[in-house]
Amino acid sequence: MANEEDDPVVQEIDVYLAKSLAEKLYLFQYPVRPASMTYDDIPHLSAKIKPKQQKVELEMAIDTLNPNYCRSKGEQIALNVDGACADESSTYSSKLMDKQTFCSSQSTSNTARYAAALYRQGELHLTPLHGILQLRPSFSYLDKADAKHREREAANEAGDSSQDEAEEDVKQITVRFSRPESEQARQRRVQSYEFLQKKHAEEPWVHLHYYGLRDSRSEHERQYLLCQGSSGVENTELVKSPSEYLMMLMPPSPEEEKDKPVAPSNVLSMAQLRTLPLADQIKILMKNVKVMPFANLMSLLGPSIDSVAVLRGIQKVAMLVQGNWVVKSDILYPKDSSSPHSGVPAEVLCRGRDFVMWKFTQSRWVVRKEVAAVTKLCTEDVKDFLEHMAVVRINKGWEFILPYDGEFIKKHPDVVQRQHMLWSGIQAKLEKVYNLVKETLPKKPDGQSGPTGLVSGDQRVQVARSKAQQNHALLERELQRRKEQVRASTVLPGVRIKEEPVSEEGEEEEEQEAEDEEPMDTSLGGGLHSRLANGLPGGRAAGGDSFNGHPPPGCAGTPVARELRAFVEATFQRQFVLTLSELKRLFNLHLASLPPGHTLFSGISDRMLQDTVLAAGCKQILVPFPPQTAASPDEQKVFALWESGDMSDQHRQVLLEIFSKNYRVRRNMIQSRLTQECGEDLSKQEVDKVLKDCCVSYGGMWYLKGTVQS
């Protein structure tokens, strides 16, 4: 007791277990460097990995202008490795050892006791490590230099030999046939060191893109180190009830376990279900039921369960479709599993089932043949997808199994908004994988069945026309009032104001303008091909004069325009080159961080976003993509900050002009062009900075960021 009083508890810290990166997080141990220098400051020229072996190779630049660097030694090493004639296959194209390769080795095989910790706002978030790799310098270039030396010696010996040497005597050759390999011999050969080395060498390298500490993608991935559900939904391993702790301390004996009656593997009683953590209860229910309204889920879990905790838990295992929750595909088809019908891997099955779910966010009806034609899956697999969430109707197709739940949509708009963002990302992936053609966005849902299919242009015109007729009387009164104000304020004699009647053509032009302005995918009013996608009510963004009750976002000087301009300027100050697709992704993340009801949720169109980018001092770079490129139209629109106010503006402008005529460029071409345009005193650090700001290296070539197609 005396010791406890002398050592009081100063602070209690909540500990959370984050699992988002549990199977993907590696710890790299670099060689020791001075404290003033970090590895993020050193340009990473390339990176590649062998996933099965957990082997990594990083190629880093060497500061050749450092006073401690011996230039003569660097030139000698490059000469020994590449010889006097440098070509594309040379290790050091600059005829100077200006880079170094680091190879990894596993420091420990058991990483279960290690985790990465992040302390933020009085909370400690732990993420288990999947591997710990030590990086050491690789001296493979010395082997290459020795091979060059042996080749030169062999060539000299061959040249000194006499040309008149008599031909060697003919020798007898004995041909032998190998015996059939026995099973024991095969096992010994498979377990031999040479065979394992050969298998390791056969595994292909996967090239990686390196993102620095302050890159937006690094900041986005760093958020996954935080536990997504601070209420304890994700921390079932750390939060245990007293009975669960007692069970862990004193597990039941094997005899007691045998005495219990054995139930089928797919059957779980409600009494057993209530003993599980909330997250596991939700997962088991959704995995068995497949599709369920939120009200039914709450009734199964019991009246004492908090609905907020259930909402957080359901979003981890299910997606919102027409106001109902449908279990996620990766829950039904876990990793490393396959189809029992065709043997297709789980990744392909998840993609096909996501396509079916996405189709039901647009319409009550889905045609099986259309799904099979797009996904290229067998009939049995497609039928399994549809039976999970739909019922077949003769001569009509498959109808979603549950009615549209408008009550949940109205009660939880924040959840609907978040699900809409997730579906927007899934839609973009599906369009890229299946080469889908974007269809006309439907505007009006069917009042009885929720989201409907496509709405024709004539129907949209009729809706706009009826709305214009309803406001016609109000517009006439406003016009008359303004005319009277003009007459009362005029002082010039003999001046007449020509009055023109409001014609139907003017109304039709207003209707056409209302039709032409379509919100982009990242806004709350757009995204999937339906105003009612994920249960989002269509009337929220159907107005022609305003967006969700706000003034039109295209008006200059409005709060929406100012907020959008501030976002664009801040984004391009961090990243100098962005494609429209990447900019929309960053805008999506920005919207997700804003509170509900923020002014940017009023609806931002693609045209408005591009106009704001150009008005913020950026220019569009017309990169000549190859004809067979797989890049989408948004990925082919490249924007760059033309002037940022620093010393590198001129260098970046020259670099951007190069890429306006070339899709990919070699470094020596960039170096020579920059030297020609900016002078002979251009240092290697300045070139590296410009390349790091605007470009990415892949396969020995340089591309503008976002344009490389691996």
Side-chain angles (χ1 to χ4, degrees):
M1 294 295 294
N3 294 336
E4 293 182 359
E5 293 178 358
D6 295 339
D7 190 14
V9 176
V10 179
Q11 183 182 2
E12 291 187 359
I13 300 175
D14 294 332
V15 180
Y16 296 92
L17 181 63
K19 293 185 177 181
S20 299
L21 299 178
E23 300 296 328
K24 307 174 184 177
L25 189 62
Y26 290 86
L27 175 64
F28 287 2
Q29 296 179 339
Y30 287 85
V32 177
R33 286 232 173 208
S36 59
M37 179 183 297
T38 63
Y39 278 90
D40 190 62
D41 299 328
I42 304 175
H44 288 60
L45 302 180
S46 65
K48 54 186 179 180
I49 186 174
K50 288 187 176 182
K52 294 182 180 179
Q53 304 177 39
Q54 294 188 2
K55 184 177 181 181
V56 176
E57 279 194 11
L58 299 179
E59 194 175 82
M60 295 184 177
I62 298 178
D63 185 9
T64 58
L65 300 181
N66 192 293
N68 297 324
Y69 180 82
C70 181
R71 192 174 185 87
S72 61
K73 191 67 175 177
E75 292 176 350
Q76 183 63 42
I77 292 176
L79 181 62
N80 294 340
V81 173
D82 299 326
C85 299
D87 53 13
E88 295 182 357
S89 61
S90 300
T91 304
Y92 305 110
S93 57
S94 61
K95 297 184 179 180
L96 187 69
M97 184 181 177
D98 55 357
K99 58 186 178 182
Q100 188 175 15
T101 302
F102 290 85
C103 290
S104 69
S105 61
Q106 289 189 11
S107 60
T108 177
S109 58
N110 182 18
T111 59
R113 298 184 295 111
Y114 299 92
L118 182 62
Y119 182 76
R120 179 171 295 184
Q121 298 179 357
E123 298 176 349
L124 186 64
H125 298 260
L126 301 179
T127 302
L129 290 176
H130 189 60
I132 301 178
L133 304 179
Q134 291 183 347
L135 295 174
R136 296 184 175 89
S138 172
F139 301 100
S140 58
Y141 61 88
L142 297 178
D143 297 334
K144 191 173 181 181
D146 292 341
K148 289 274 187 181
H149 180 68
R150 286 193 295 268
E151 289 177 2
R152 286 193 294 267
E153 286 185 348
N156 293 335
E157 292 178 0
D160 295 339
S161 61
S162 174
Q163 299 296 330
D164 297 330
E165 185 177 357
E167 294 184 359
E168 296 182 0
D169 297 336
V170 178
K171 295 181 179 180
Q172 183 178 0
I173 299 176
T174 303
V175 179
R176 294 180 179 179
F177 296 94
S178 61
R179 296 178 181 178
E181 187 178 27
S182 63
E183 182 63 24
Q184 294 180 351
R186 191 190 68 82
Q187 291 181 358
R188 286 196 300 269
R189 181 176 59 84
V190 170
Q191 295 176 0
S192 65
Y193 177 78
E194 293 182 359
F195 183 83
L196 294 178
Q197 288 294 102
K198 182 180 178 182
K199 294 292 290 184
H200 288 170
E202 289 176 352
E203 183 181 358
W205 287 101
V206 178
H207 291 272
L208 307 175
H209 296 291
Y210 176 82
Y211 296 98
L213 180 65
R214 287 170 286 275
D215 192 273
S216 65
R217 284 186 179 268
S218 298
E219 295 175 0
H220 174 62
E221 293 294 332
R222 203 175 299 124
Q223 297 300 318
Y224 290 113
L225 293 175
L226 298 175
C227 182
Q228 302 299 319
S230 58
S231 64
V233 176
E234 277 195 359
N235 294 278
T236 56
E237 289 82 356
L238 302 181
V239 180
K240 301 290 184 182
S241 64
S243 60
E244 290 173 337
Y245 275 119
L246 184 61
M247 186 66 67
M248 293 172 62
L249 294 174
M250 299 178 62
S253 61
E255 291 77 9
E256 294 178 357
E257 291 291 333
K258 292 179 181 178
D259 293 339
K260 293 182 179 180
V262 180
S265 59
N266 61 340
V267 175
L268 185 66
S269 67
M270 293 302 297
Q272 292 176 326
L273 186 68
R274 299 282 171 82
T275 62
L276 299 176
L278 179 60
D280 293 340
Q281 294 184 44
I282 297 173
K283 182 177 180 180
I284 291 173
L285 286 173
M286 291 305 304
K287 188 175 181 180
N288 284 274
V289 182
K290 308 292 191 303
V291 184
M292 189 186 307
F294 186 74
N296 291 12
L297 179 62
M298 289 299 300
S299 64
L300 290 174
L301 294 175
S304 61
I305 303 298
D306 183 18
S307 61
V308 177
V310 176
L311 275 176
R312 289 173 179 163
I314 189 66
Q315 294 181 68
K316 302 182 190 310
V317 298
M319 296 291 292
L320 191 65
V321 178
Q322 299 190 23
N324 300 283
W325 291 99
V326 181
V327 65
K328 289 184 176 180
S329 302
D330 55 359
I331 302 296
L332 296 179
Y333 303 107
K335 189 178 180 182
D336 298 331
S337 64
S338 60
S339 167
H341 306 294
S342 59
V344 173
E347 181 182 0
V348 180
L349 293 176
C350 290
R351 193 161 56 226
R353 188 174 181 274
D354 287 345
F355 176 75
V356 175
M357 294 169 62
W358 172 70
K359 291 291 289 183
F360 277 120
T361 62
Q362 303 178 84
S363 173
R364 292 284 303 173
W365 301 91
V366 167
V367 180
R368 180 180 56 82
K369 291 183 179 179
E370 179 185 349
V371 175
V374 174
T375 60
K376 303 297 189 296
L377 293 173
C378 69
T379 305
E380 290 78 8
D381 288 335
V382 176
K383 190 175 180 181
D384 283 349
F385 300 158
L386 293 170
E387 288 177 345
H388 290 167
M389 64 193 81
V391 291
V392 64
R393 305 295 185 192
I394 300 176
N395 298 330
K396 287 187 177 181
W398 291 79
E399 184 184 13
F400 193 68
I401 194 170
L402 294 178
Y404 174 73
D405 191 353
E407 183 179 353
F408 179 85
I409 299 301
K410 296 177 182 178
K411 191 175 180 180
H412 303 282
D414 53 338
V415 177
V416 174
Q417 172 190 340
R418 194 176 301 111
Q419 288 290 310
H420 181 75
M421 295 294 187
L422 294 176
W423 274 119
S424 298
I426 293 175
Q427 178 200 3
K429 293 180 181 178
L430 293 175
E431 288 177 349
K432 191 170 183 179
V433 172
Y434 293 133
N435 296 323
L436 301 180
V437 179
K438 288 191 175 183
E439 304 166 334
T440 307
L441 295 178
K443 293 289 182 181
K444 276 289 183 180
D446 185 353
Q448 298 178 356
S449 61
T452 61
L454 299 179
V455 178
S456 65
D458 293 339
Q459 291 175 329
R460 296 172 61 189
V461 171
Q462 290 296 331
V463 173
R465 188 186 299 276
S466 62
K467 187 163 187 178
Q469 290 176 356
Q470 293 174 4
N471 297 332
H472 185 68
L474 180 62
L475 294 175
E476 280 189 346
R477 288 197 296 270
E478 180 68 17
L479 180 62
Q480 188 65 26
R481 185 180 63 81
R482 292 185 180 181
K483 289 179 181 179
E484 292 175 357
Q485 290 179 353
V486 172
R487 292 195 190 97
S489 60
T490 182
V491 294
L492 296 178
V495 177
R496 297 182 60 189
I497 300 175
K498 182 179 179 181
E499 300 181 4
E500 295 184 357
V502 180
S503 64
E504 294 185 359
E505 294 180 359
E507 295 178 6
E508 294 180 358
E509 291 178 359
E510 293 180 0
E511 296 164 9
Q512 188 64 33
E513 291 177 0
E515 296 169 18
D516 292 340
E517 186 66 23
E518 291 288 350
M520 76 176 191
D521 293 347
T522 57
S523 70
L524 199 62
L528 294 179
H529 298 160
S530 176
R531 289 290 182 190
L532 263 198
N534 313 328
L536 189 63
R540 294 181 57 182
D545 299 324
S546 66
F547 290 76
N548 301 333
H550 297 281
C555 300
T558 62
V560 179
R562 289 195 295 268
E563 288 284 343
L564 185 60
R565 176 72 175 264
F567 163 76
V568 169
E569 290 178 348
T571 302
F572 275 94
Q573 284 295 333
R574 294 193 303 268
Q575 303 187 55
F576 295 93
V577 178
L578 285 172
T579 62
L580 180 59
S581 176
E582 177 67 8
L583 182 61
K584 289 164 69 173
R585 187 188 69 84
L586 295 176
F587 185 66
N588 231 341
L589 295 175
H590 181 63
L591 285 180
S593 65
L594 297 177
H598 193 274
T599 181
L600 281 180
F601 288 122
S602 56
I604 305 298
S605 64
D606 281 1
R607 184 175 63 185
M608 180 181 179
L609 183 62
Q610 296 180 61
D611 291 344
T612 305
V613 171
L614 297 176
C618 302
K619 290 189 177 182
Q620 184 174 358
I621 310 302
L622 302 178
V623 179
F625 283 83
Q628 68 276 14
T629 181
S632 64
D634 285 350
E635 292 175 338
Q636 296 186 33
K637 292 182 180 180
V638 184
F639 297 92
L641 182 62
W642 196 250
E643 293 182 357
S644 63
D646 59 11
M647 301 297 293
S648 302
D649 280 345
Q650 183 184 1
H651 306 158
R652 279 193 293 270
Q653 292 171 9
V654 174
L655 182 66
L656 294 174
E657 289 178 357
I658 294 175
F659 280 102
S660 65
K661 300 177 182 178
N662 302 275
Y663 172 61
R664 56 182 182 179
V665 188
R666 292 193 177 276
R667 181 189 172 94
N668 54 6
M669 177 181 176
I670 298 175
Q671 180 87 35
S672 60
R673 180 68 180 275
L674 288 173
T675 304
Q676 178 183 353
E677 297 289 339
C678 304
E680 297 290 341
D681 56 346
L682 194 64
S683 65
K684 184 176 182 297
Q685 283 75 10
E686 292 174 324
V687 177
D688 290 339
K689 181 182 183 304
V690 174
L691 291 176
K692 185 178 180 181
D693 290 343
C694 304
C695 302
V696 62
S697 175
Y698 185 78
M701 304 295 289
W702 288 89
Y703 304 78
L704 275 184
K705 287 184 176 180
T707 62
V708 60
Q709 300 293 319
S710 57

